[in-house]
């Protein structure tokens, strides 16, 4: 019996992505989120010393034992982490980005309900590695795509997605966007394009220039 699908790296037993099929299944992907206050890195080290499970291991156990989108969102929200992290989730007609602090959810983006500082289209949610909705200036110093002083990866992605009308985004449009210039990070290891409603799981390694 298939428990869930995941892209794995040799020697790393935690998950980076997970896909669980079903009428109310879910996908989840992890993005790096940097600490937003002095002492944040020391806090992470203290959590590790105390024996708190690693984020990816906690997420693996959640994927093993939960089946529904809403249940997974609640469980991730309530689970203590070692370090800050973005958890990007999708389901059948549902989507959320949880901006996690170790002991709380700092911010939530919800598909169809754009908040302050977010893109107003409403047919997608987007995340790279920065709290852009709070004006995180570090986004403009990200060296992994365009470089300092260039358009941010998020802005480049939004500009590419704007080529399609609202409600008309396709898997091809999304795949083109995540591989577009200034969107694809230079240190990307692999990508995932999934659809719970279509029971589709497409994992790939990007072509890096």
């Amino acid at each position: 019996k298939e428990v869930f699908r995941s892209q794995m790296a040799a020697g790393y037993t935690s998950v980076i992505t997970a896909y669980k099929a079903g009428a109310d299944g879910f996908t989840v992907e992890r993005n790096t989120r940097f600490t937003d206050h002095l002492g944040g890195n020391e806090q992470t080290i203290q959590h590790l010393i105390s024996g708190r499970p690693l984020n990816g291991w906690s997420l693996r156990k959640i994927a093993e034992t939960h089946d529904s989108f809403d249940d997974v969102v609640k469980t991730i929200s309530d689970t203590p982490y070692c370090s800050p992290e973005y958890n990007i989730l999708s389901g059948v007609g549902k989507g959320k980005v949880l901006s996690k602090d170790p002991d709380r959810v700092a911010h939530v983006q919800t598909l169809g309900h754009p908040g302050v500082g977010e893109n107003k289209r409403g047919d997608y949610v987007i995340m790279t590695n920065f709290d852009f909705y709070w004006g995180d200036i570090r986004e403009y110093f990200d060296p992994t795509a365009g470089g300092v002083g260039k358009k941010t990866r998020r802005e480049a992605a939004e500009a590419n997605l704007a080529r399609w009308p609202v409600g008309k985004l396709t898997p091809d449009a999304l795949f083109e966007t995540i591989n577009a210039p200034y969107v694809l990070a230079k240190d990307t290891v692999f990508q995932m394009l999934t659809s719970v409603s279509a029971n589709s799981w497409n994992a790939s390694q990007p072509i890096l220039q």
Side-chain angles (χ1 to χ4, degrees):
K1 177 184 177 181
E2 180 177 291
V3 179
F4 67 90
R5 300 181 190 182
S6 180
Q7 291 163 306
M8 305 294 290
Y12 186 71
T13 57
S14 298
V15 300
I16 303 172
T17 65
Y19 167 78
K20 198 157 196 173
D24 192 24
F26 62 89
T27 71
V28 60
E29 186 258 349
R30 301 168 57 203
N31 270 24
T32 297
R33 179 173 183 249
F34 302 104
T35 183
D36 61 0
H37 62 281
L38 291 175
N41 292 328
E42 289 81 359
Q43 183 184 49
T44 294
I45 293 172
Q46 289 302 315
H47 289 322
L48 291 169
I49 293 173
S50 72
R52 183 176 290 195
L54 296 174
N55 299 0
W57 183 257
S58 294
L59 197 59
R60 172 175 174 158
K61 305 313 289 184
I62 292 170
E64 289 176 359
T65 55
H66 295 76
D67 299 313
S68 72
F69 177 88
D70 291 336
D71 190 24
V72 164
V73 168
K74 183 180 186 310
T75 304
I76 291 174
S77 300
D78 294 342
T79 298
Y81 275 10
C82 277
S83 62
E85 182 172 293
Y86 298 109
N87 287 155
I88 303 166
L89 299 108
S90 66
V92 179
K94 303 175 182 179
K96 286 186 181 290
V97 178
L98 305 181
S99 301
K100 286 272 292 178
D101 283 339
D103 295 306
R104 70 185 185 104
V105 176
H107 185 270
V108 180
Q109 294 172 252
T110 301
L111 181 67
H113 300 280
V116 175
E118 299 172 20
N119 188 285
K120 300 306 179 185
R121 281 183 52 140
D123 60 340
Y124 68 81
V125 287
I126 191 168
M127 179 50 66
T128 54
N129 303 108
F130 304 94
D131 296 341
F132 67 89
Y133 38 79
W134 289 332
D136 188 349
I137 195 172
R138 293 175 295 182
E139 180 181 29
Y140 292 92
F141 295 88
D142 178 11
T144 64
V148 177
K150 303 290 185 179
K151 184 180 294 185
T152 70
R153 291 173 56 219
R154 173 185 59 85
E155 290 171 337
E158 290 177 339
N160 200 70
L161 291 168
R163 295 164 52 206
W164 287 271
V166 174
K168 299 297 184 180
L169 294 176
T170 65
D172 286 343
L174 297 177
F175 191 74
E176 179 182 322
T177 298
I178 64 176
N179 286 284
Y182 306 116
V183 177
L184 178 63
K186 300 172 184 177
D187 56 354
T188 299
V189 177
F190 51 67
Q191 302 162 311
M192 181 180 72
L193 191 67
T194 63
S195 171
V196 178
S197 58
N199 193 25
S200 172
W201 184 78
N202 184 344
S204 61
Q205 290 182 298
I207 299 174
L208 299 176
Q209 302 298 324

